[in-house]
Amino acid sequence: MIDSQRYPRLAHIDSPADLRRFPESELGDIARELRAYLIESVATSGGHFGANLGVIELTVALHWLYDTPTDRLVWDVGHQCYPHKILTGRRDRITTVKKKDGVAPFPNRSESEYDTFGVGHSSTSISAALGMALAAQRKENGGDPRKIVAVIGDGAMTAGMAFEALNHGGALDPDMLVILNDNQMSISENVGALTQMLARLMASRTLNRIRESTKKMLKRDGFWWRFVKRWEEHAKGMFVPSTLFEEFGFHYTGPIDGHDLPLLVSTLRTLKELKGPQLLHVITTKGKGYAPAEREQIEYHAVGPFDPAAGVAKKAGASKPTYTEIFSDWLCDMAAADPRLYGITPAMREGSGLVRFSKEYPQRYFDVSIAEQHAVTLAAGMACEGAKPVVAIYSTFLQRAYDQLIHDVALQDLDVLFAIDRAGVVGPDGATHAGSFDLSYLRCIPNMLVMAPADEDECRKMLTTGFLHHGPAAVRYPRGSGTGAQVASELATLPVGKADLRRRGRGIALLAFGAMVAPSAKVAETLDATLVNMRFVKPLDEALVLELAQSHAALVTIEDNAIAGGAGSGVAELLAAHGVHAPILHLGLSDRFLDHASREELLALDGLDAAGIESAIRKRFGDLLVAPPLRSTG
């Protein structure tokens, strides 16, 4: 429970309605309490940090001025929503964020009526808000007067989807407000021409006052109205280096200081009453109010529990390297060996392990901002000219570039390697970040080579195999560390399409893919079962699978991917194509979206730990575990 002595105002705010009972003169004190409480809470539980500190004043102003949840507040890149959650009834549970059965790390419609749109990926807010505004305006009986506000920031304006929504919305003249929360950051620094343009913008309150007072005196759509609009565009060019948003049809205001609460309230109060599409540009500081987070904005984007007085402790060297670190080292080693290699990331330099590569090979490193579709087609263009691009991307983010993966890479059989991080169960970030579907959506694409390593050394070998392969290839690996296997330094390859028979047992054959090999090995020992590290999802080791189907009573496929259409489905399709009728059990992720919890908790929940795998096999094939008979093909 919140300490009412330390937080005398915040302790009495259980909803935005409570916030609105306070006079405007106390909003600054409420913001200070909210910032202090956020620091205390995240220090206790861990979670997203810097972006949340940057939107304290904006969140207070919005919930104080607007009648939420009747008025719709749509957040982008949901990791800036903690202050919103604290003010909307989740204050005392905010320390459970990301934990099993705790507060979701992003806006979630099933969690609160104040979370008007589910968020996880970026750049969706303007489209969603536009849809809400159009639906409200077109309701029967004269439309719905509710206000619609989208808050987009942390690099989300660099994605094409945001501009698609601006392009559409400006032509329809909806009553909505877009707030560009400009902090020059996503997870790492924003890049690209748009970022450079926004950095040049200077506030021009004088111009705004002249413009608005002149418009009020003129008849809309008359000659002088059109003259003033044209004059405004030219005059604004002298004050502000771009009229980009105005050309899209959005009335631009700003930039203003996003930490100046009186100015924020005053500006929002004016914009709230204006008709048509509005865009307010606010300048904020990621990590505002906590000095270490302001200085080290990348490090403090998301944190584990820490001591607020001392800051985040430097991590001791891990006993086992993560898969991301394995990829990072491989990328630099392969770049040294082959000058054709280029590294591409959609705004995930840190998360995908390209920091070292970006420093050692800056001319071969490309951060394309939050633009997954562009990242994939950029790689395709490079491959057309003989380069060997490597796209480092999270599984959940590759979903956003699926058409490009099929049409621009696979259809043309181009040499692009996809290093797919965070595959399978991810954990605390929840369903929006889970890599549950990549085996399903990759294995159905012609020309694709798809691999899943069982350990760190195999991951390095698969990356080399995929890089040297002619055509598109994908290596998908999980978050965190593997088994601790010794990693060879050479750039060795694996024979394509050949599995690794780890153990020859009796009765049941376990066909395990990727991270599921380790827990399956324990089960194989217990049940005296055969264990195969399948390695390749596409192409499968057909000869081995068919031999095992003939020599064993039943097969079990095990993967940390959706069962529907996954690697196990590929095994079943292979058997069916050869007329083999074999009892087969598919173990994988169930047909539902997984909530936030630790990776270990989620695997156990879906029966993908050793105990769950053994239990499922005993339940289905218990009578086959002793002296099983041999079978032949049907």
Side-chain angles (χ1 to χ4, degrees), residues 81-98:
C81 74
Y82 289 19
H84 159 79
K85 294 202 173 202
I86 292 170
L87 294 177
T88 54
R90 291 161 280 183
R91 179 195 59 219
D92 296 336
R93 298 184 61 239
I94 197 65
T95 54
T96 68
V97 71
K98 291 193 172 190

Side-chain angles (χ1 to χ4, degrees), residues 591-621:
D591 189 22
R592 62 189 178 88
F593 291 106
L594 298 175
D595 286 332
H596 46 282
S598 70
R599 175 175 164 82
E600 293 72 24
E601 288 173 326
L602 292 175
L603 287 172
L605 195 63
D606 257 5
L608 293 178
D609 58 351
I613 294 169
E614 181 181 346
S615 176
I617 294 172
R618 288 188 180 278
K619 182 177 179 180
R620 177 72 177 274
F621 297 130

